[in-house]
Amino acid sequence: MVLRSLERAQYDFWVGEPKQGDLLELYDHSAAAVKRVSPRLRVGGPATAQAAWADAFIQHCVEKNTCRLILFPVHVYGNDSAPDVFGTHESIPRDRMVCRAVKKVHDQIKASPLPSLPLIWSEFNASYKNEPEITDSTYMGPWMADTIRQCDGLVDEMSYWTFSDVF
């Protein structure tokens, strides 16, 4: 199994240990259970947060030869941090974070053994927390339009997180 790139990522809300290995094992068991119900059912990827583990996950599925990925879903938010998303200590502005992460995962898929795997950006927003001064402001319309413009051609589908920013 390939455990590289963002093994060092915080990914704090995934509590398994080791984080990446535990998620891969959970996926393997879940995908196998779905396929036991019906081999015709299709199984996508794990919808990783912080644009984490795409390259390692794809490599794991190829090496195991049991995963039949049909798409790779992932998400990131404008206020995620560079250490968590890229493993760097640079300052990435909110209006550049989402599409930098999209490009990172897009490039990882294109360089993988499954280069035509669809990239589904399952969640994005300017913030993952309750920041009404950002998410409920006139900033959001231009931010969303520019984010979509920046990501054009790098992602197959994007889903804006719209349910609520109040958890």
Side-chain angles (χ1 to χ4, degrees):
M1 173 187 333
V2 175
L3 297 176
R4 57 176 200 261
S5 78
L6 290 174
E7 174 100 0
R8 64 191 177 278
Q10 293 298 313
Y11 214 51
D12 290 334
F13 46 88
W14 182 257
V15 296
E17 288 297 335
K19 291 182 182 299
Q20 188 179 42
D22 191 60
L23 180 68
L24 294 173
E25 182 179 353
L26 174 63
Y27 181 85
D28 290 345
H29 290 294
S30 299
V34 168
K35 291 296 188 177
R36 278 193 303 274
V37 171
S38 172
R40 294 181 5 195
L41 293 173
R42 299 173 3 152
V43 180
T48 65
Q50 298 174 329
W53 305 335
D55 54 350
F57 185 84
I58 293 167
Q59 189 64 39
H60 168 78
C61 285
V62 168
E63 288 175 4
K64 294 265 311 183
N65 199 27
T66 55
C67 301
R68 298 290 185 251
L69 283 176
I70 58 164
L71 58 90
F72 195 84
V74 65
H75 59 269
V76 79
Y77 288 83
N79 63 332
D80 273 318
S81 72
D84 289 343
V85 178
F86 299 102
T88 67
H89 293 286
E90 61 191 300
S91 177
I92 300 172
R94 189 184 303 255
D95 65 340
R96 298 288 176 248
M97 176 60 78
V98 171
C99 292
R100 267 243 350 240
V102 166
K103 180 163 178 22
K104 177 189 103 170
V105 177
H106 173 269
D107 292 349
Q108 288 174 334
I109 290 172
K110 293 302 177 201
S112 81
L114 303 173
S116 61
L117 191 64
L119 174 57
I120 309 299
W121 213 261
S122 59
E123 293 178 32
F124 78 101
N125 198 327
S127 179
Y128 57 79
K129 57 186 175 180
N130 189 14
E131 292 183 292
E133 67 280 4
I134 300 293
T135 57
D136 296 340
S137 75
T138 57
Y139 171 80
M140 285 306 297
W143 178 87
M144 186 183 304
D146 190 50
T147 297
I148 292 168
R149 179 195 61 79
Q150 290 178 60
C151 296
D152 186 35
L154 299 175
V155 64
D156 294 279
E157 296 178 24
M158 291 184 80
S159 178
Y160 177 72
W161 182 254
T162 60
F163 296 111
S164 174
D165 56 0
V166 180
F167 292 97

